[in-house]
């Protein structure tokens, strides 16, 4: 279990394709704010258009993800990315259009390519040996951390230094380039299901619904750090620290997340995935709490960096948990639903932050978010334990090589294939 299994030309092609598909996603919210900040309504209008984009992602990810055909996903992914690129191009080409038109284009740019995250993750795991899946997911997390660290800087520099619409045109070009990359990758991924998704325990929808505890914990992990990011400028003002430190502090958080993903993939960790997830979420809550309470810049920076390091591990455990509870034919849809759940978590924490900042101090708003996260983590853990107990009472299992059936730990056990399965 080393990163050598991930180092290949095909994975490099995947990484370039993934940057083209995902960097526009990271650029979009801030780019939309810059696009209209000089118009009447300014930042409020930008926030509303950015919200339309996020709603598009939340709607598009599960709807389109459930319709991906594993063996022939390329045309569907390419179509979604092409339409998404057109949406970004429309935003950049018509910056003075009516707000409703801009919101519609933003919704389209968010919804159309929303299944690409799940599809690309499934393609990545197809490119590496089964023993290296954890390392592949860690590599993906490191790549995402780099994308999210670079994107805000690129958007601000282009919008302020060139023109407000340029970041959106760049996003369109990047997303269009990812379509070409898809044709250098496999057309889809093998399901290895002896029974099809519809016959292996019910419909894909039922399988996805049964995995709800994983989504709850995944949404909680992203939502908590999202709350810290959104409240950080106000928190710095509360502490008497220059707001300009927000950028470097968030960059440190992204670096910590990348390092955490790398460390997670270095070895096999003990314990069940759900136990690891709870432990990591509790540690993450501790460091976000410290970030809210520490009065100096260095302390806040250290707390956020360690928080990012721990959060990346929590997200990787959630993706590995999906591989336990879902058959291969439903994994891309499951990853897409996780993406939507993370968007919901971020949106909920953003709304919570906005509401609480009107009535209490920023530090108290973060502490409230920590409390909500711990409740969601407990609910997710309870749901996973309950599901495992239900499966354990299920009955005698005969696992054929390559098949996927519910296991005694609530796992989708792949006979002779899954290193995470436990009998």
């Amino acid at each position: 279990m080393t990163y050598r299994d991930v180092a290949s030309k095909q994975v490099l092609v995947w990484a370039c394709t993934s940057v083209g598909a995902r960097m526009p996603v990271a650029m979009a919210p801030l780019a939309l704010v810059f696009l209209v900040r000089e118009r009447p309504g300014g930042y409020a209008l930008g926030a509303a258009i950015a919200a339309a984009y996020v709603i598009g992602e939340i709607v598009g990810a599960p709807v389109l993800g459930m319709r991906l055909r594993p063996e022939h996903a390329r045309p569907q992914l390419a179509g979604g990315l092409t339409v998404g690129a057109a949406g970004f191009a429309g935003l950049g080409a018509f910056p003075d259009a009516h707000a409703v038109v801009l919101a519609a284009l933003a919704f389209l740019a968010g919804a159309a390519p929303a299944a690409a995250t799940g599809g690309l993750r499934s393609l990545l795991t197809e490119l590496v040996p089964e023993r290296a899946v954890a390392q592949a997911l860690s590599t993906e997390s490191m790549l995402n951390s780099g994308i999210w660290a670079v994107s805000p800087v690129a958007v601000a520099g282009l919008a302020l230094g060139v023109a407000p619409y340029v970041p959106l045109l760049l996003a369109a070009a990047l997303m269009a380039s990812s379509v070409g990359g898809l044709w250098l990758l496999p057309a889809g991924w093998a399901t290895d299901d002896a029974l099809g998704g519809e016959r292996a325990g019910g419909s894909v929808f039922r399988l996805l619904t049964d995995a709800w505890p994983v989504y709850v914990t995944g949404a909680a992990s992203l939502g908590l750090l999202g709350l810290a990011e959104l409240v950080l400028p106000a928190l710095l003002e509360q502490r008497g620290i220059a707001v300009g430190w927000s950028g470097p502090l968030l960059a440190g958080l992204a670096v910590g997340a990348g390092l955490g993903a790398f460390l997670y993939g270095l070895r096999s960790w003990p314990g069940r995935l759900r136990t690891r997830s709870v432990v990591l979420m509790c540690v993450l809550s501790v460091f976000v709490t410290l970030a809210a309470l520490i009065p100096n810049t260095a302390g806040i920076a250290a707390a956020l960096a360690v928080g990012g390091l721990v959060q990346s591990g929590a997200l990787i455990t959630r993706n590995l948990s999906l591989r336990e509870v879902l058959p291969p034919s439903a994994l891309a849809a499951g990853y897409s639903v996780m993406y939507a759940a993370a968007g919901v978590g971020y949106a909920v924490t953003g709304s919570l932050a906005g509401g609480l900042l009107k009535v209490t101090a920023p530090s108290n708003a973060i502490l409230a978010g920590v409390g909500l996260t711990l409740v969601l983590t407990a609910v997710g853990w309870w749901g996973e334990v309950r599901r495992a107990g239900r499966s354990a009472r299920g009955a005698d299992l005969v696992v054929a090589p390559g098949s996927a059936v519910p296991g005694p730990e609530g796992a989708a056990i792949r006979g002779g294939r899954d290193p995470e399965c436990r009998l």
Side-chain angles (χ1 to χ4, degrees), residues 86-410:
F88 279 113
L91 287 164
F94 305 104
D96 297 321
H98 192 279
V100 174
V101 174
L102 293 179
L105 288 170
F107 180 90
L108 182 67
T117 294
L120 286 169
R121 185 172 295 143
S122 295
L123 281 174
L124 174 62
T125 56
E126 181 74 4
L127 298 174
V128 301
E130 185 67 21
R131 65 179 181 272
V133 167
Q135 285 70 34
L137 293 176
S138 294
T139 300
E140 180 196 33
S141 185
M142 286 186 277
L143 181 66
N144 285 340
S145 296
I147 289 171
W148 283 92
V150 170
S151 294
V153 178
V155 169
L158 290 172
L160 297 175
V162 185
Y165 56 82
V166 171
L168 291 160
L169 294 178
L170 174 61
L174 286 169
M175 190 162 281
S177 72
S178 70
V179 177
L182 286 176
W183 300 99
L184 301 176
L185 295 171
W189 50 91
T191 62
D192 283 351
D193 284 321
L195 300 175
E198 287 293 319
R199 299 186 293 277
S203 68
V204 171
F205 179 79
R206 248 169 50 204
L207 289 168
L208 296 177
T209 302
D210 199 37
W212 68 265
V214 182
Y215 307 135
V216 169
T217 314
S221 64
L222 187 66
L224 178 57
L225 224 52
L227 177 67
E229 292 178 16
L230 293 169
V231 180
L232 182 59
L235 178 68
L236 294 179
E237 283 192 353
Q238 179 188 355
R239 301 296 183 213
I241 301 169
V243 177
W245 277 102
S246 298
L249 291 176
L250 292 178
L253 186 152
V255 171
L259 177 61
F262 174 75
L263 294 175
Y264 191 95
L266 283 179
R267 51 161 294 173
S268 178
W269 298 91
R272 303 183 194 280
L273 286 171
R274 65 173 181 264
T275 305
R276 284 185 236 164
S277 180
V278 169
V279 171
L280 289 169
M281 286 300 300
C282 290
V283 174
L284 173 60
S285 297
V286 168
F287 280 97
V288 173
T289 299
L290 289 175
L293 298 178
I294 293 174
N296 58 72
T297 308
I300 295 173
L304 288 177
V306 178
L309 184 148
V310 174
Q311 187 232 15
S312 61
L315 286 177
I316 293 170
T317 62
R318 297 296 79 198
N319 288 325
L320 289 171
S321 292
L322 279 182
R323 293 179 61 82
E324 283 195 342
V325 302
L326 294 177
S329 60
L331 270 176
Y335 291 142
S336 295
V337 174
M338 175 73 85
Y339 181 72
V344 171
Y346 200 94
V348 168
T349 54
S351 301
L352 175 66
L356 289 177
L357 287 176
K358 296 178 181 178
V359 297
T360 189
S363 56
N364 292 334
I366 294 177
L367 294 178
V370 170
L372 176 61
T373 296
L374 291 175
V375 170
L376 291 176
T377 300
V379 170
W381 178 83
W382 170 81
E384 290 193 71
V385 170
R386 186 168 175 266
R387 186 186 189 282
R390 195 168 64 244
S391 296
R393 293 190 297 271
D396 301 323
L397 301 173
V398 178
V399 184
S403 64
V405 292
E409 297 301 335

